[in-house]
């Protein structure tokens, strides 16, 4: 009886030792994975790093999920940077293993065919620069692709919605429009330090709200009521009879808008340069840059 008890005790002890060894080896293996994932991320192998971090035991590595997300975000930023700088093969290589980066892969492939936007910058005084190219045959059955510059506000109290440059058509005049052909050089559209307030903008139907008519140029104010192509809402500040301020809302039929200061009107929003199919339904390529927030809004946000 005593012999059996002794054997059982030894067996239990052996099992415990084996379990301990297994745990130690598992821990060593996971530590190795952790270190390998960090090395892969540092080398730019973001997808492999993401997979390794994601496979780690959550009990031993509580930050593994956060590390995995960081690796994925780093991959996204690296792919975006490569795309913006014209390293299209690199952008595609980084983005392709990640399912949610399919748009970057599409843009990289389109760019290699010759349709892209590159080197997009916006200066502090509202001057836009970029290089764009449209491959022969790009755009669809209805004709060549359309190059547009879009201004979007983010609800800064002056404007909300989107305004975009009017494409040149048979009924358009050259005055004030962004006409891509005027910037065509050696098969590419090269825009350098072009002031945003030098273009006339087209407002999509019911998409734009102006809160202060002072943001519109005199030429726009003079012609608002005669335009019939699209509608938007003009809401400007008015002084009531009792001296208090109020908002007077009016809906106008309008197609073309010119702003005195787009950087102020769309502060906190974005400028997007987009190449679309000829029917306007497919985005072939686009790049965006932030418009700085208004100084007062930034100070208010910082105080909160």
């Amino acid at each position: 009886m005593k012999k059996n008890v002794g054997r059982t005790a030894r067996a239990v002890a052996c099992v415990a030792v084996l379990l301990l060894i297994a745990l130690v080896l598992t821990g060593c293996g996971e530590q190795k994975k952790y270190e390998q994932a960090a090395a892969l991320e540092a080398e730019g192998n973001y997808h492999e790093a993401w997979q390794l971090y994601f496979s780690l035991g959550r009990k031993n590595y509580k930050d593994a999920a956060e590390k995995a997300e960081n690796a994925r975000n780093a991959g996204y930023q690296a792919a975006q940077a490569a795309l913006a700088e014209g390293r299209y093969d690199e952008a595609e290589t980084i983005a392709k293993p990640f399912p949610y980066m399919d748009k970057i892969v599409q843009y990289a492939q389109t760019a290699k065919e010759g349709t892209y936007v590159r080197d997009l910058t916006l200066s502090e005084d509202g001057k836009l620069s970029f290089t764009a190219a449209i491959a022969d045959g790009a755009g669809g059955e209805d004709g060549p692709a359309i190059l547009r510059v879009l201004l979007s506000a983010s609800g800064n109290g002056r404007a909300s919605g989107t305004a975009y440059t009017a494409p040149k058509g048979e009924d358009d005049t050259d005055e004030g429009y962004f006409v891509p052909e005027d910037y065509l050089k050696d098969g590419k559209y090269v825009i350098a330090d072009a002031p945003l307030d030098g273009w006339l903008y087209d407002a999509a139907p019911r998409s734009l709200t102006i809160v202060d008519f002072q943001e519109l140029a005199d030429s726009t104010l003079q012609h608002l009521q005669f335009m019939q192509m699209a509608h938007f809402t003009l809401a400007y500040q008015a002084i009531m009879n009792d001296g208090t301020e109020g908002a007077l809302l009016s809906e106008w039929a309008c197609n073309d808008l010119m702003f005195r200061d787009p950087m102020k009107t769309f502060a906190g929003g974005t400028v997007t340069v987009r190449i679309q199919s000829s029917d306007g339904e497919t985005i072939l390529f686009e790049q965006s840059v932030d418009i700085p927030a208004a100084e007062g809004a930034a100070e208010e946000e910082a105080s909160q």
Side-chain angles (χ1 to χ4, degrees):
M1 185 70 174
K2 290 182 178 179
K3 289 183 178 180
N4 290 336
V5 172
R7 288 174 182 171
T8 301
R10 284 195 296 273
V12 170
C14 287
V15 171
V17 170
L18 290 173
L19 287 173
L20 181 61
I21 292 172
L23 288 171
V24 170
L25 291 175
T26 300
C28 290
E30 291 199 336
Q31 177 62 31
K32 188 175 180 180
K33 277 186 181 181
Y34 191 89
E35 294 172 355
Q36 187 179 1
L40 285 168
E41 183 178 357
E43 293 169 1
N45 295 321
Y46 302 104
H47 187 258
E48 292 181 53
W50 173 75
Q51 286 181 312
L52 275 181
Y53 278 130
F54 200 76
S55 69
L56 289 171
R58 297 300 184 264
K59 289 184 180 180
N60 295 331
Y61 297 93
K62 294 181 179 179
D63 65 343
E66 182 182 352
K67 291 281 188 180
E69 186 64 22
N70 289 343
R72 185 167 63 172
N73 288 338
Y76 180 78
Q77 295 299 329
Q80 286 278 45
L83 191 67
E85 294 167 9
R87 294 177 281 115
Y88 304 124
D89 286 326
E90 184 179 344
E92 184 177 4
T93 299
I94 295 171
K96 203 166 188 176
F98 293 100
Y100 82 104
M101 294 189 196
D102 55 341
K103 183 63 72 175
I104 294 179
V105 175
Q106 175 204 319
Y107 285 172
Q109 292 172 346
T110 303
K112 287 191 288 185
E113 294 171 1
T115 301
Y116 59 79
V117 178
R118 213 161 56 196
D119 304 323
L120 175 60
T121 59
L122 179 65
S123 64
E124 292 181 358
D125 56 350
K127 292 181 180 178
L128 195 66
S129 300
F130 63 88
T131 299
I134 299 176
D136 292 338
E141 297 178 356
D142 298 331
I146 300 168
L147 179 64
R148 280 178 169 161
V149 176
L150 298 90
L151 275 72
S152 298
S154 59
N156 62 357
R158 293 190 178 90
S160 61
T162 299
Y164 54 86
T165 58
K168 184 169 175 56
E170 293 180 1
D171 298 329
D172 295 339
T173 63
D174 289 340
E175 295 181 6
Y177 283 89
F178 165 61
V179 184
E181 286 71 18
D182 292 347
Y183 299 88
L184 188 61
K185 297 179 182 178
D186 300 325
K188 297 179 182 179
Y189 302 97
V190 182
I191 286 78
D193 294 328
L196 289 177
D197 57 5
W199 297 341
L200 199 63
Y201 296 93
D202 183 22
R206 302 186 188 280
S207 70
L208 187 65
T209 298
I210 303 295
V211 180
D212 186 350
F213 79 97
Q214 295 297 335
E215 302 299 329
L216 299 173
D218 292 336
S219 58
T220 294
L221 293 172
Q222 291 168 5
H223 293 90
L224 274 177
Q225 56 188 325
F226 302 111
M227 301 295 182
Q228 301 296 327
M229 298 295 290
H231 289 82
F232 79 108
T233 300
L234 176 67
Y236 59 89
Q237 295 298 314
I239 305 298
M240 303 303 181
N241 291 334
D242 61 0
T244 60
E245 290 187 359
L248 179 62
L249 302 178
S250 301
E251 186 175 274
W252 298 74
C254 178
N255 181 41
D256 304 319
L257 301 175
M258 184 175 286
F259 301 98
R260 286 191 174 92
D261 188 349
M263 290 286 283
K264 181 179 179 183
T265 306
F266 294 90
T270 60
V271 176
T272 300
V273 178
R274 176 178 294 171
I275 300 174
Q276 295 174 265
S277 58
S278 54
D279 58 11
E281 295 183 0
T282 304
I283 299 174
L284 304 177
F285 201 104
E286 73 173 22
Q287 289 279 310
S288 297
V289 63
D290 291 336
I291 302 174
E295 293 182 5
E299 292 172 3
E300 183 179 346
E301 185 177 339
S303 64
Q304 292 178 348

